[in-house]
Amino acid sequence: MKISARELLGELLDPGSFVSWDRPPVAVDASPEYRKELSAAAATAGIDEAVLTGEGLLRGRRVAVIACEFAFLAGSIGVAAAERIVTAVERATELGLPLLASPTSGGTRMQEGTVAFVQMVKVAGALAVHKAAGHPYLVYLRDPTMGGVFASWGSLGHMTFAEPGALVGFLGPRVYQALYGKQFPEGVQTAENLYHNGVIDGVVPVSVFRRIAHRTLVVLCDGPIPLPGKGGDAPAPAAGVGEFLAGPQERGGLAVLDTAEVHAWQSVLISRRGDRPGIRELLRHVTDRVPLSGTGQGELDRTVVHALARFRGQPCIVFGHDRAGQSPDNTMGPAALREARRSMHLAAELRVPLVLVIDTAGASLSREAEERGLAPEIARCLADLVTLDTPTVSVLLGQGSGGGALALLPADRVLAAANGWLAPLPPEGASAIIHRDTWHAPGLAAAQRIRAVDLEADGIVDRIVHEYPDAAEEPVDFAMRMVETIAEELAALTARPLEALRSARHLRYRRLGLGA
């Protein structure tokens, strides 16, 4: 059974908190037959147009809402409904409120012809202004959401979820059959299929979407929380390598390896351990986590993960390589980098920092990767990160091989796990190029200065997070230590003016490799 607009608002908002913003619909030119249809629709649906707008409380937080009513002429959007939507969006922008929208519609209203069709332009324009002002826009698609509604305000959310089993698509099955004389392929226009193909972020019931929306707004709207004992000051510099030159020591009963004495090849082997903690282990120790999925444009790469989260109270968007999703037969492709660029765009638009996690054996070497633009996507990531209008932290967590690693490197601060490394190719690949064998890989790993400690000395890495002696031997402690370090860096960066960050970032990479 379809959920009505009022039922949706009743489940989404705190009880009794909804306040309508709606005024009587604007007058439109209508034939006598169409006026009868409007009157009948109002009687059937119990409302005067196909949308309800207003504000309410979501777990005590003031939010603006727009909800479609399918019982009113199949939720179709004409001039009056579009005007109501745009007025609500503009009011939410003026009040600085996050906006939650829930379409369910057959599309634009055929009775009003082309003028109804082009209303989607002004709806999209109003939402663009709302988002450009830094205000969140979250979408919950209900069954069905089709046509121009899906192709405009139904697809512009910072995050988009859908009702289980919802029919969601551009061209309705009935229209497709009338135009082409055959049925539309079964199972394509479903919320679940769109999620699996990276078009939307998830498929959940309204009760779960309420929790997701709450967590999302906690991350995006509440601002950073000062770290205990930090007083808002910048974190103390990381321990220098000189503190670890006396050989193995003891820390809480664990041996501490001298970082400077660990051979580069040893770090490579340690970083490849199957039980080494990756990005998912870090995310287990953050709060208010909300997963994102895909590019939003029909691509999804299982070798990467991205989410909204708080690191010890510091809000951010997290994107990174997922070692659990990688294998020799499944390496990152161009879609992964387009997902990275989605995260970059979201971070800048929502005005929250971006955390990037590097942990990859390398990008895909395949015909498909070449034809779908792997190299251009690496280039675009580099250009976007160097100029991004938000604080950035990059974390070299494990393997950092090739352009797929480099694409996530440029940041205001670069952290590295003690056994993390960065190289143009895996050492075996470099050996194959220079020596036509792989036997020389250990020597080349050292000669190319790929270790975290060498990267720090060369100005590529700012801070090393140590392992005691290997992150795989202390996965929880290491993950918590890395999360704490990221939080400290985020707190320090968000305290600085954005213009100063941009200038320092530009100078950092302009001077890279030129010495002091």
Side-chain angles (χ1 to χ4, degrees):
M1 181 177 291
K2 289 181 172 57
I3 303 171
S4 73
R6 293 194 186 280
E7 288 171 335
L8 180 280
L9 295 175
E11 290 192 51
L12 185 63
L13 300 176
D14 298 348
S17 68
F18 176 68
V19 177
S20 176
W21 286 351
D22 294 335
R23 296 179 180 176
V26 298
V28 296
D29 290 334
S31 66
E33 292 79 7
Y34 181 32
R35 290 197 181 280
K36 288 181 181 179
E37 286 187 73
L38 292 172
S39 297
T44 300
I47 59 176
D48 59 3
E49 248 302 339
V51 290
L52 295 178
T53 72
E55 64 173 272
L57 300 178
L58 178 60
R59 295 196 177 183
R61 183 189 305 277
R62 191 179 176 196
V63 297
V65 289
I66 299 171
C68 249
E69 177 51 72
F70 193 80
F72 193 105
L73 294 180
S76 58
I77 304 299
V79 172
E83 185 62 24
R84 182 171 285 182
I85 292 169
V86 170
T87 300
V89 174
E90 291 173 341
R91 185 167 178 177
T93 306
E94 181 182 353
L95 294 173
L97 295 179
L99 176 59
L100 280 61
S102 182
T104 173
S105 173
T108 56
R109 194 164 295 171
M110 293 299 104
Q111 294 90 333
E112 296 181 26
T114 301
V115 71
F117 178 53
V118 299
Q119 294 301 300
M120 299 303 98
V121 176
K122 73 180 185 185
V123 173
L127 286 168
V129 172
H130 181 81
K131 293 165 67 177
H135 306 312
Y137 175 52
L138 311 182
V139 174
Y140 184 69
L141 305 172
R142 299 182 357 257
D143 179 42
T145 301
M146 305 298 295
V149 171
F150 182 47
S152 57
W153 56 291
S155 292
L156 290 174
H158 289 117
M159 297 180 64
T160 303
F161 288 80
E163 178 183 18
L167 177 70
V168 179
F170 179 57
L171 188 62
R174 187 169 60 184
V175 176
Y176 181 89
Q177 186 168 12
L179 292 176
Y180 301 107
K182 57 183 178 180
Q183 291 189 341
F184 196 86
E186 188 177 352
V188 173
Q189 293 179 318
T190 66
E192 289 78 4
N193 186 54
L194 295 185
Y195 166 60
H196 288 304
N197 283 280
V199 178
I200 63 176
D201 291 300
V203 180
V204 296
V206 179
S207 59
V208 176
F209 178 69
R210 171 179 159 87
R211 295 200 298 270
I212 289 172
H214 168 68
R215 288 202 302 269
T216 300
L217 298 180
V218 167
V219 174
L220 298 178
C221 300
D222 285 358
I225 299 171
L227 295 176
K230 297 296 178 183
D233 296 330
V241 173
E243 297 182 34
F244 294 88
L245 293 180
Q249 306 167 45
E250 290 293 319
R251 179 187 182 274
L254 294 173
V256 180
L257 292 182
D258 176 354
T259 309
E261 291 181 358
V262 175
H263 192 278
W265 184 244
Q266 184 179 355
S267 282
V268 171
L269 296 179
I270 289 172
S271 75
R272 291 174 175 172
R273 282 187 58 165
D275 56 351
R276 183 175 177 84
I279 188 172
R280 292 184 183 274
E281 282 68 30
L282 299 189
L283 289 174
R284 289 190 182 103
H285 298 281
V286 303
T287 58
D288 301 306
R289 184 175 70 251
V290 180
L292 299 167
S293 182
T295 61
Q297 299 175 31
E299 291 183 290
L300 179 65
D301 192 312
R302 301 293 182 185
T303 68
V304 294
V305 168
H306 49 149
L308 303 177
R310 279 182 175 264
F311 283 69
R312 302 292 187 268
Q314 307 303 306
C316 64
I317 289 178
V318 187
F319 177 89
H321 304 118
D322 178 18
R323 61 172 35 243
Q326 300 177 57
S327 70
D329 298 322
N330 187 33
T331 52
M332 65 173 293
L337 297 174
R338 286 190 270 274
E339 289 190 54
R341 294 180 64 218
R342 179 194 176 194
S343 290
M344 296 171 199
H345 178 75
L346 284 175
E349 191 166 69
L350 291 166
R351 302 176 187 178
V352 292
L354 175 65
V355 174
L356 300 154
V357 178
I358 300 169
D359 194 2
T360 178
S364 176
L365 300 176
S366 67
R367 174 179 176 175
E368 181 185 23
E370 296 290 352
E371 291 178 347
R372 295 180 65 189
L374 178 65
E377 285 302 330
I378 292 172
R380 294 183 188 107
C381 283
L382 296 175
D384 287 355
L385 282 175
V386 170
T387 58
L388 200 66
D389 284 336
T390 198
T392 51
V393 175
S394 184
V395 181
L396 187 54
L397 193 60
Q399 299 186 77
S401 180
L406 185 67
L408 305 188
L409 180 73
D412 297 310
R413 294 284 287 177
V414 179
L415 313 180
N419 289 304
W421 54 274
L422 180 69
L425 286 172
E428 297 92 334
S431 178
I433 289 174
I434 296 176
H435 299 288
R436 298 183 183 276
D437 61 44
T438 59
W439 305 337
H440 293 81
L444 276 174
Q448 289 187 321
R449 298 178 60 81
I450 71 173
R451 298 179 305 170
V453 65
D454 295 321
L455 298 172
E456 184 184 40
D458 291 340
I460 298 170
V461 162
D462 299 299
R463 187 173 179 182
I464 294 175
V465 177
H466 290 278
E467 304 176 32
Y468 300 107
D470 176 347
E473 303 295 336
E474 44 140 16
V476 173
D477 287 348
F478 171 78
M480 293 179 67
R481 193 159 60 247
M482 181 62 83
V483 166
E484 182 67 31
T485 305
I486 294 170
E488 290 177 357
E489 296 293 348
L490 291 174
L493 290 172
T494 53
R496 297 181 60 188
L498 185 56
E499 185 58 42
L501 286 179
R502 283 197 300 258
S503 177
R505 191 190 308 152
H506 171 79
L507 183 61
R508 171 196 182 106
Y509 291 102
R510 176 65 182 85
R511 297 291 304 168
L512 198 62
L514 300 180

